C-alpha cells in the first residue's frame, strides 16, 4: 500500500499543519500539543472540547470551528492523546461559562481525559466530561468499559456546538449531549482493513470475499465475519441492527446518516443510502434530515456505517444552525 | 546482591527502553490480534522520549527519577499506555522519595503502590487480562524473597512468574481495554501488556547475569 507520508512519526502533525494552513482565518494550531482551536474563542459561551486518536478525520480536528468544537487535540493514529495535551486543550479553551469535554467511549480516552479533567478542576476550571457511546455492535455490560463511540459523535458535537453558540449554559449543553447520545445508534461494516502509517501493514487480515460486520473504527472486530453480500443485503443487516436497538418505531422522525469509513467511494455510499431510506420508509420512519459522506473514518478502510438519530423540534433546530469547520465541500 | 541501588534501577530502565523500542512493531502486532494495534508504538514513544531526555532527568533519588519518567509518559505517550504507565511510575515514586537504594521489601512496596494506582486509574482487576496479571505474580515472587533478600533469586522467580502469566491468561476473556469490546473473540490471544512485562523481566535477567529460560512463545520471540 502506497501512502503520502514523510516520516510516519510526523504523520499527524504534518496533516494538522495542512488543516491549519488551509483555514488561516478560522483555526489556531499548536504543534506542541497537536491541538487545534478556534481563533475566536468566545468569552461567555460554553466551550466544547474533544480529543481522541487520529485517523478518524474529519473527526475530530476538522470539526473545530464556530457552531461545532471550540478546540480539539489529536493523539497518534488510533491512540488517545497524551494526558498533557488533553489538559492543555481544556486550558486553552477555558471559558467563564465552562468547558464540556465530549469524548468517544474508549478506555484510553477515558483514562487520559479523567486525569486531565482532574488536573484542570484542581486549577479551578469549570470542566465536565460527557461520553459518547452510539455503537450497537458490541454488547454493553458491567464487564466491559461499554459501547464504543463512533459516527454518532458528529450529531452530539453539532447539537452541543450549536447550543453553546446560541448561549446555552453548561447544564443545558450537557443535557443536549445526553439527549442526542441517548437517541443515536450506529453500526458499521468493513470490507478491507486500514493501514496505520506507523505500522505500514493492514491491521487485520480479511479475505477478498469476506466482510466484518459491526467493525470498530480502529479495525476492532465486530459481531462476526461472514461472506460478502450485495450492497442492499448489507444495508438491510446494518439498518435492522440500528433500528431495533433503540428501538426506532413507526412515526419517529429521524436523521439518517450513511458514513464512509475512508476507503469507499461516495457512489457506493449513495447506493447504500438509497436502500437505507427505503427501509426507513417501510418502517414508518420519517427521514427529516439526511447525511451521506465521511464524518468519522478509519483511514482508508473500505466500509461504511449507518447512524440514526431520533429527532425532536429542539434537535432539528440545532442541526440546522450554521457552522463553519475545516471539513467542507463548498 | 542484597540491596537494589539507584544505578541498578537506571540500568533496568535503560534495558526496558531497549526491550520496548526493539519490540515496537511486534508488541503492536500482538495488540492487533484483539485490540487496536497501537500498544507497541505508544509505549516505544515514551521510552524514546526517556532516552532523549535521559541526561536531564533528575536522578537525585529513585523517587525523583520515577516522578520525572511519569511526567514524560503524560507528555509523550498516547493511548491507554500513557495514563497506565504514567500512573504506575508516579505511584512508584511515592514510597521511594529521597531514597537512593532500596531493599527487596521496599521494591515490593514500590510495585504494590504502582499496582494500586493502575487499578484505580483503569478500573481493571486481576483476571481482566491486562498487564496487572503479570504484575501481581511478579509482586508475589518479590515478596516471597523479601526476607532472605536474594535479589537475583527474586528476579529469576519474578521473570518466570511473568512468563507463566502469558500462557495462563491466554484463554481468558479481556475485561478491560479495547480487547474487552470484542468479547469472546479476545480469548486464545496473548495479552500484549503481559508479554511486554514478561519480556522486560527476561531482558533484566540477561542484563544482570541471571539465568532464565522463558517458555511462552511470544516471550521467546521478543527477548534480546
Amino acid at each position: 500500500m502506497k501512502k503520502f507520508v514523510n516520516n510516519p512519526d510526523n504523520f499527524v502533525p504534518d496533516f494538522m499543519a495542512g488543516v491549519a494552513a488551509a483555514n488561516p482565518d478560522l483555526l489556531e494550531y499548536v504543534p506542541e500539543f497537536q491541538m487545534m482551536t478556534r481563533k475566536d474563542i468566545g468569552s461567555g459561551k460554553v466551550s466544547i472540547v474533544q480529543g481522541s486518536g487520529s485517523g478518524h478525520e474529519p473527526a475530530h480536528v476538522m470539526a473545530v470551528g464556530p457552531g461545532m468544537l471550540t478546540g480539539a487535540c489529536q493523539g497518534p493514529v488510533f491512540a488517545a492523546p497524551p494526558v498533557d495535551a488533553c489538559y492543555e486543550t481544556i486550558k486553552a479553551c477555558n471559558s467563564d461559562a465552562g468547558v464540556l469535554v465530549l469524548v468517544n467511549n474508549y478506555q484510553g480516552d477515558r483514562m487520559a481525559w479523567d486525569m486531565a479533567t482532574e488536573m484542570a478542576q484542581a486549577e479551578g476550571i469549570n470542566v465536565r466530561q460527557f461520553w459518547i457511546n452510539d455503537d450497537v455492535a458490541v454488547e454493553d455490560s458491567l464487564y466491559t468499559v461499554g459501547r464504543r463511540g463512533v459516527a454518532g459523535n458528529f450529531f452530539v458535537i453539532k447539537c452541543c456546538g450549536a447550543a453553546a453558540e446560541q448561549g446555552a449554559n453548561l447544564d443545558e449543553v450537557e443535557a443536549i449531549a445526553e439527549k442526542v447520545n441517548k437517541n443515536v445508534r450506529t453500526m458499521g461494516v468493513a470490507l478491507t482493513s486500514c493501514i496505520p502509517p506507523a505500522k505500514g501493514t493492514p491491521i487485520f487480515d480479511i479475505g477478498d470475499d469476506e466482510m466484518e460486520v459491526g467493525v470498530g473504527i480502529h479495525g476492532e472486530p465486530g459481531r462476526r465475519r461472514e461472506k460478502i453480500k450485495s450492497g442492499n443485503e448489507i444495508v438491510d443487516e446494518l439498518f435492522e441492527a440500528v433500528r431495533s436497538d433503540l428501538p426506532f418505531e413507526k412515526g419517529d422522525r429521524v436523521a439518517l446518516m450513511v458514513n464512509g469509513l475512508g476507503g469507499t467511494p461516495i457512489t457506493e455510499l449513495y447506493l447504500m443510502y438509497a436502500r437505507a431510506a427505503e427501509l426507513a420508509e417501510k418502517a414508518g420512519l420519517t427521514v427529516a434530515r439526511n447525511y451521506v459522506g465521511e464524518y468519522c473514518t478509519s483511514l482508508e478502510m473500505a466500509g461504511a456505517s449507518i447512524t440514526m438519530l431520533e429527532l425532536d423540534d429542539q434537535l432539528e433546530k440545532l442541526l440546522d444552525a450554521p457552522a463553519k469547520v475545516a471539513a467542507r465541500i463548498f | 546482591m542484597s540491596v537494589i541501588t539507584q544505578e541498578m534501577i537506571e540500568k533496568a530502565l535503560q534495558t526496558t527502553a531497549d526491550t520496548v523500542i526493539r519490540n515496537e512493531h511486534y508488541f503492536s502486532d500482538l495488540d492487533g490480534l484483539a485490540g487496536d494495534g497501537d500498544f507497541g508504538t505508544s509505549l516505544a514513544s515514551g521510552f524514546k522520549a526517556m532516552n532523549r531526555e535521559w541526561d536531564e532527568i533528575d536522578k537525585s533519588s529513585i523517587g525523583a527519577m520515577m516522578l520525572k519518567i511519569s511526567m514524560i509518559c503524560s507528555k509523550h505517550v498516547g493511548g491507554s499506555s500513557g495514563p497506565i504507565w504514567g500512573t504506575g511510575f508516579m505511584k512508584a515514586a511515592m514510597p521511594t522519595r529521597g531514597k537512593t537504594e532500596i531493599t527487596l521489601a521496599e521494591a515490593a512496596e514500590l510495585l504494590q503502590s504502582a499496582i494500586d494506582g493502575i487499578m484505580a486509574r483503569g478500573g481493571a482487576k486481576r483476571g481482566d487480562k491486562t498487564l496487572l496479571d503479570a504484575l501481581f505474580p511478579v509482586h508475589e515472587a518479590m515478596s516471597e524473597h523479601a526476607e532472605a533478600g536474594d535479589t537475583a533469586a527474586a528476579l529469576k522467580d519474578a521473570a518466570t512468574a511473568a512468563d507463566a502469566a502469558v500462557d495462563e491468561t491466554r484463554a481468558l476473556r479481556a475485561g478491560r481495554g479495547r480487547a474487552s469490546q470484542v468479547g469472546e473473540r479476545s480469548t486464545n490471544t496473548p495479552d500484549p501488556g503481559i508479554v511486554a512485562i514478561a519480556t522486560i523481566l527476561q531482558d533484566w535477567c540477561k542484563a544482570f547475569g541471571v539465568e532464565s529460560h522463558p517458555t511462552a512463545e511470544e516471550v521467546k520471540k521478543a527477548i534480546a
Side-chain angles (χ1 to χ4, degrees), chain A residues 79-80 84 107 115 138 143 146 212, chain B residues 38 74 78-79 121-122 175 177 181 185:
Chain A
D84 210 43
Q107 185 96 50
M115 284 180 88
V138 265
Y143 197 62
E212 179 73 32
Chain B
D38 70 356
S74 294
R121 176 61 60 204
Q181 292 168 323
R185 288 167 66 168

Side-chain angles (χ1 to χ4, degrees), chain A residues 29-79:
Chain A
Y29 173 42
V30 183
E32 188 182 359
F33 304 111
Q34 292 186 172
M35 170 169 80
M36 196 77 79
T37 63
R38 284 170 61 170
K39 272 201 166 156
D40 63 334
I41 295 179
S43 63
K45 290 177 181 171
V46 171
S47 289
I48 314 290
V49 164
Q50 186 158 84
S52 193
S54 296
H56 306 305
E57 292 68 30
H60 310 267
V61 71
M62 294 170 208
V64 177
M68 293 277 279
L69 294 175
T70 313
C73 59
Q74 298 287 120
V77 170
F78 294 171

Side-chain angles (χ1 to χ4, degrees), chain A:
Chain A
M1 176 83 192
K2 291 178 277 191
K3 281 179 185 287
F4 295 105
V5 184
N6 303 313
N7 175 348
D9 290 344
N10 293 336
F11 182 72
V12 177
D14 284 358
F15 91 71
M16 289 186 79
V19 174
N23 296 273
D25 301 332
L26 199 64
L27 301 176
E28 183 79 39
Y29 173 42
V30 183
E32 188 182 359
F33 304 111
Q34 292 186 172
M35 170 169 80
M36 196 77 79
T37 63
R38 284 170 61 170
K39 272 201 166 156
D40 63 334
I41 295 179
S43 63
K45 290 177 181 171
V46 171
S47 289
I48 314 290
V49 164
Q50 186 158 84
S52 193
S54 296
H56 306 305
E57 292 68 30
H60 310 267
V61 71
M62 294 170 208
V64 177
M68 293 277 279
L69 294 175
T70 313
C73 59
Q74 298 287 120
V77 170
F78 294 171
V83 174
D84 210 43
C86 300
Y87 166 71
E88 293 292 342
T89 305
I90 293 172
K91 280 215 302 192
C93 296
N94 188 16
S95 153
D96 298 341
V99 180
L100 183 63
V101 178
L102 296 176
V103 191
N104 291 302
N105 189 37
Y106 297 95
Q107 185 96 50
D109 298 286
R110 285 199 86 100
M111 290 189 287
W113 284 102
D114 279 349
M115 284 180 88
T117 299
E118 286 165 23
M119 288 158 76
Q121 284 167 340
E123 283 204 6
I125 296 175
N126 183 15
V127 52
R128 295 184 200 166
Q129 298 174 321
F130 185 83
W131 297 94
I132 299 164
N133 59 350
D134 56 308
D135 190 353
V136 305
V138 265
E139 66 181 285
D140 186 11
S141 77
L142 291 176
Y143 197 62
T144 73
V145 73
R147 284 183 167 181
R148 309 177 287 217
V150 285
N153 176 48
F154 167 81
F155 289 119
V156 182
I157 296 174
K158 180 69 188 72
C159 293
C160 288
E165 202 63 30
Q166 291 163 9
N169 67 32
L170 187 55
D171 285 338
E172 291 163 344
V173 178
E174 190 178 38
I176 286 162
E178 274 168 16
K179 188 201 267 187
V180 177
N181 189 56
K182 195 167 138 262
N183 291 315
V184 68
R185 297 290 188 278
T186 300
M187 178 130 144
V189 62
L191 308 183
T192 66
S193 169
C194 53
I195 299 177
K199 192 165 184 287
T201 53
I203 205 163
F204 60 89
D205 297 319
I206 184 163
D208 276 348
D209 59 345
E210 289 180 322
M211 61 179 180
E212 179 73 32
V213 180
V215 73
I217 54 171
H218 313 92
E220 309 98 308
R223 288 183 175 178
R224 66 186 167 277
R225 176 80 51 98
E226 60 184 47
K227 294 285 177 204
I228 192 166
K229 298 175 178 167
S230 74
N232 282 356
E233 285 172 306
I234 294 170
V235 174
D236 291 354
E237 192 163 345
L238 296 182
F239 184 88
E240 184 50 28
V242 169
R243 191 210 58 77
S244 61
D245 193 85
L246 189 56
F248 295 87
E249 286 164 342
K250 196 173 176 182
D252 286 347
R253 273 185 301 157
V254 298
L256 176 61
M257 172 191 279
V258 174
N259 167 59
L261 292 178
T264 289
I266 191 91
T267 45
E268 293 171 38
L269 299 182
Y270 273 102
L271 178 152
M272 295 175 79
Y273 184 83
R275 180 64 163 196
E278 187 187 329
L279 293 173
E281 193 187 335
K282 271 190 195 158
L285 309 177
T286 303
V287 180
R289 298 289 182 281
N290 31 45
Y291 300 80
V292 184
E294 292 185 338
Y295 296 83
C296 185
T297 64
S298 186
L299 296 169
E300 75 281 53
M301 182 188 281
S305 61
I306 287 179
T307 300
M308 266 203 298
L309 165 67
E310 189 178 332
L311 296 171
D312 61 13
D313 291 345
Q314 182 192 31
L315 296 186
E316 278 189 18
K317 282 190 188 121
L318 292 170
L319 287 179
D320 291 344
K324 194 175 178 192
V325 295
R328 62 195 171 198
I329 54 170
F330 294 110

Side-chain angles (χ1 to χ4, degrees), chain B residues 28-70:
Chain B
S28 282
D29 288 346
L30 291 179
D31 189 26
L33 297 176
D36 56 350
D38 70 356
F39 173 68
T41 45
S42 292
L43 202 56
S45 67
F47 282 97
K48 282 176 190 171
M50 187 194 84
N51 279 349
R52 277 199 306 275
E53 297 177 26
W54 183 256
D55 290 341
E56 284 84 53
I57 290 174
D58 180 355
K59 301 188 194 70
S60 58
S61 73
I62 295 167
M65 190 167 64
M66 294 287 184
L67 191 59
K68 181 63 191 166
I69 293 170
S70 162

